Amino acid sequence: MRMTLTALAFLSASATLAVAAPGPAQQAQLDTYATLAKAVDPAFAGFSAEHGKTLFLAKSTTGKPDTPSCTTCHTADPTKPGQTRAGKAIGPMAISMKADRYSIPAETEKWFGRNCDSVLGRACTPLEKGDFITFMVGQ
Amino acid sequence: MRYHVLGFAIAASLTTVPAFAATPEVAMAKECGACHMVYPASQLPARSWTALMASLGNHFGENAALDSATTKQIADLLTTTAADAAGRNNRALRGLSATQTPLRITETPYWISKHGQGRVAATALAAVKAKSASDCVACHAGASSGQFDDD
């Protein structure tokens, strides 16, 4: 029994470690945004989780009035589930809690496209998208 | 090594999933259902669904835009199963003028007539923990599958 528990503890610890880094599909998405960011700014030197966190928590006055922040629907804790304004549950944004986040480019672009417009009143830049995902990869 | 190759193969296949779903029903359940209950097409006329699907960029205060193929797929399903579609029961249109294009089911005379006598008063909604009068499931357990005959 003790052996089993130890094995389970080890397995769950390694599982947590395994999802704390981007998977191949998420890395491919980050690489795409890095290429685009470099095209905009040749001095681009990598994404910043700290900038992603700031973007996620920021309050905006330039978007639609009902959605002043990402946190309006996603809560300020990316490891917690959120809720749409209509009441539907939203899975956590952190990849430690939802491993398939940011792994389908069309879905990722769809939600950035909608939500950047709803919250900021404009499209997000490739730099902002990469920063955002980099923050969520570490959560 | 074999596992790594397999992992990359799965990841590669994920990235090629098309943006639109195989059937309109699946697309509607996925896209509309991501944010709210999939409201029954039979409760609004086709012109209402056309107007809603043409204005997803500002959908009740949020951008809910879809790619054009998925938008058309869902719009076609909604308009061909709307209250005024051929062969459909159009009782949801009772009292509605042909010049009116309601964007909410809760704005139709039929819906209002069925929800009088305080049924959707603030206290009544609070009692069933409904988020709003659009939260059909709070009272109609079968609402998600279009069943409203429990009243």
Side-chain angles (χ1 to χ4, degrees), chain B residues 97-124:
Chain B
S97 149
T99 60
Q100 290 175 294
T101 305
L103 297 181
R104 300 171 189 268
I105 294 168
T106 53
E107 290 170 354
T108 62
Y110 177 71
W111 188 93
I112 293 167
S113 76
K114 297 289 267 182
H115 294 83
Q117 295 159 352
R119 285 191 181 91
V120 288
T123 48

Side-chain angles (χ1 to χ4, degrees), chain A residues 63-67 85 118, chain B residues 57-63 104:
Chain A
K64 300 187 192 301
D66 290 321
T67 52
R85 288 168 53 235
S118 291
Chain B
N58 190 355
H59 190 63
F60 303 105
E62 275 181 63
N63 185 323
R104 300 171 189 268

Side-chain angles (χ1 to χ4, degrees), chain B residues 4-35:
Chain B
H4 277 102
V5 171
L6 184 63
F8 281 114
I10 291 169
S13 69
L14 276 177
T15 62
T16 55
V17 169
F20 57 92
T23 72
E25 289 78 7
V26 170
M28 189 160 79
K30 175 181 174 235
E31 302 299 351
C32 308
C35 296

Side-chain angles (χ1 to χ4, degrees), chain B residues 21-88:
Chain B
T23 72
E25 289 78 7
V26 170
M28 189 160 79
K30 175 181 174 235
E31 302 299 351
C32 308
C35 296
H36 55 73
M37 188 193 116
V38 179
Y39 298 110
S42 63
Q43 300 304 300
L44 286 174
R47 61 183 180 277
S48 293
W49 294 119
T50 299
L52 281 162
M53 294 304 289
S55 61
L56 288 179
N58 190 355
H59 190 63
F60 303 105
E62 275 181 63
N63 185 323
L66 288 163
D67 64 85
S68 55
T70 308
T71 303
K72 183 177 186 321
Q73 195 180 27
I74 294 173
D76 286 351
L77 176 60
L78 288 167
T79 53
T80 54
T81 56
D84 54 350
R88 296 274 158 180

Side-chain angles (χ1 to χ4, degrees), chain A residues 18-130:
Chain A
V19 293
Q26 288 147 349
Q27 188 58 55
Q29 182 72 76
L30 284 169
D31 291 346
T32 300
Y33 287 140
T35 303
L36 293 169
K38 207 163 180 78
V40 174
D41 176 12
F44 168 76
F47 293 121
S48 156
E50 197 55 39
H51 289 168
K53 180 180 182 179
T54 302
L55 176 66
F56 179 70
L57 297 176
K59 297 273 181 285
S60 166
T61 54
T62 52
K64 300 187 192 301
D66 290 321
T67 52
S69 172
C70 306
T71 62
T72 304
C73 295
H74 294 292
T75 84
D77 182 349
T79 66
K80 296 281 193 311
Q83 195 182 52
T84 69
R85 288 168 53 235
K88 274 240 173 175
I90 306 172
M93 302 301 284
I95 70 162
S96 63
M97 304 303 291
K98 196 169 184 321
D100 63 350
R101 280 272 181 229
Y102 325 111
S103 58
I104 302 175
E107 286 293 309
T108 304
E109 276 291 289
K110 178 179 78 180
W111 287 108
F112 272 134
R114 291 171 164 185
N115 296 350
C116 291
D117 181 51
S118 291
V119 174
L120 303 173
R122 62 168 175 83
C124 286
T125 64
L127 180 64
E128 287 172 324
K129 294 174 189 175

